[in-house]
Amino acid sequence: MTNLLTSNTTAGEIHLLIGYSAVSNTRITSIIESGANPILITDSQPQSFPPNMTQYVTNNRLEVVVDEDFSTKILHYLSTLGRPEVDHIVDRVFVSLLNSRLPLKQEIYQRCCKLRIPVNTTDSPDLCTFTMLSTYTSGDFQLGVTTNGKGCKLALRIKRELVNSLPRDIDVICKQVGQLRRQIQLEDKSESEHGEHEDDAINNHKFNTFVPEFNKTQEDLKLQR
């Protein structure tokens, strides 16, 4: 069974990271770049943050909460650190704890499910409601690859091959196509078919429809453009 792949708008959200490990650095950077606000909950002060993490803390981009007894306060953190407009429930949770703390990981997962909070648990696909893709970003263009937990190295290899085959100015291409699309919409001055401009609309049955050379209707001209 395949997963439903989506691109989530997370600007302004509050994402909770429980536990700290090397993978947390990547997660934190991705969260900040998406416009969300990360809060790291850990039971011990990280001995050495990489320079970019230290910079995030200094610039108030990353909040770090050191709590030696955080395992007894999970529900409190999940339901109090979020935004006021969602009743202070956090928007997303990333768990990075050792397998020796499996009972705690299971408890966090169960509580997140009850609160309908998307949760990702490192190295525990059975304790995840979402997974992170291997991604490439250039401007408004984003590419994501996943093997659904079957092989992270394979996903990285596939992503690298795909990225190497892309035009170097793919971000400029996306920007120009977007401008062209808006111009055509203004010139048409007509309501487009519902959903035809979504990224997954390429499966629309009209995509490869034959456009006659002569006696074109307005709909034919619109489809051709």
Side-chain angles (χ1 to χ4, degrees):
M1 182 183 298
T2 59
N3 293 334
L4 179 64
L5 300 181
T6 64
S7 176
N8 298 302
T9 301
T10 60
E13 290 186 351
I14 294 180
H15 294 181
L16 201 63
L17 297 101
I18 301 175
Y20 179 76
S21 66
V23 74
S24 301
N25 299 326
T26 303
R27 299 279 190 266
I28 290 169
T29 297
S30 297
I31 290 168
I32 291 175
E33 288 178 349
S34 74
N37 304 297
I39 300 178
L40 173 62
I41 307 293
T42 178
D43 53 6
S44 61
Q45 183 70 44
Q47 296 301 313
S48 59
F49 266 146
N52 62 327
M53 293 297 110
T54 302
Q55 193 69 23
Y56 289 149
V57 174
T58 302
N59 295 337
N60 296 319
R61 303 294 304 278
L62 169 64
E63 179 180 348
V64 179
V65 177
V66 179
D67 185 348
E68 296 181 356
D69 196 30
F70 79 84
S71 61
T72 65
K73 304 175 185 177
I74 292 300
L75 185 60
H76 170 76
Y77 286 129
L78 295 177
S79 57
T80 60
L81 296 181
R83 299 171 292 148
E85 55 266 39
V86 291
D87 293 335
H88 302 285
I89 303 294
V90 298
D91 296 288
R92 199 170 294 266
V93 170
F94 297 85
V95 181
S96 186
L97 298 172
L98 297 176
N99 287 332
S100 59
R101 308 188 75 173
L102 179 59
L104 177 58
K105 296 200 301 186
Q106 291 173 329
E107 179 186 1
I108 295 172
Y109 173 77
Q110 292 167 357
R111 293 191 176 185
C112 285
C113 288
K114 288 182 179 180
L115 293 171
R116 305 300 294 274
I117 303 172
V119 56
N120 174 274
T121 306
T122 303
D123 295 331
S124 300
D126 56 322
L127 300 179
C128 296
T129 61
F130 75 96
T131 56
M132 300 293 287
L133 280 62
S134 178
T135 62
Y136 168 77
T137 301
S138 178
D140 288 323
F141 176 82
Q142 288 185 289
L143 170 71
V145 177
T146 179
T147 60
N148 287 325
K150 300 302 188 297
C152 60
K153 298 296 189 297
L154 176 60
L156 287 171
R157 173 64 184 272
I158 293 173
K159 181 193 72 172
R160 186 165 61 247
E161 295 292 333
L162 292 172
V163 169
N164 287 339
S165 67
L166 291 171
R168 293 187 179 275
D169 58 346
I170 186 65
D171 56 332
V172 177
I173 292 173
C174 285
K175 182 177 180 180
Q176 291 178 341
V177 168
Q179 293 173 343
L180 179 61
R181 187 185 72 170
R182 286 190 294 272
Q183 180 181 344
I184 291 174
Q185 288 173 336
L186 290 174
E187 291 178 357
D188 282 339
K189 296 181 180 179
S190 61
E191 186 174 351
S192 60
E193 181 178 340
H194 185 64
E196 74 172 274
H197 297 299
E198 295 295 322
D199 281 346
D200 58 349
I202 189 171
N203 293 320
N204 189 300
H205 68 282
K206 293 184 178 181
F207 183 69
N208 288 318
T209 299
F210 173 73
V211 177
E213 183 176 357
F214 304 104
N215 300 322
K216 298 175 184 174
T217 65
Q218 287 300 315
E219 182 65 24
D220 290 335
L221 290 171
K222 175 184 170 184
L223 185 61
Q224 186 180 50
R225 287 197 295 275

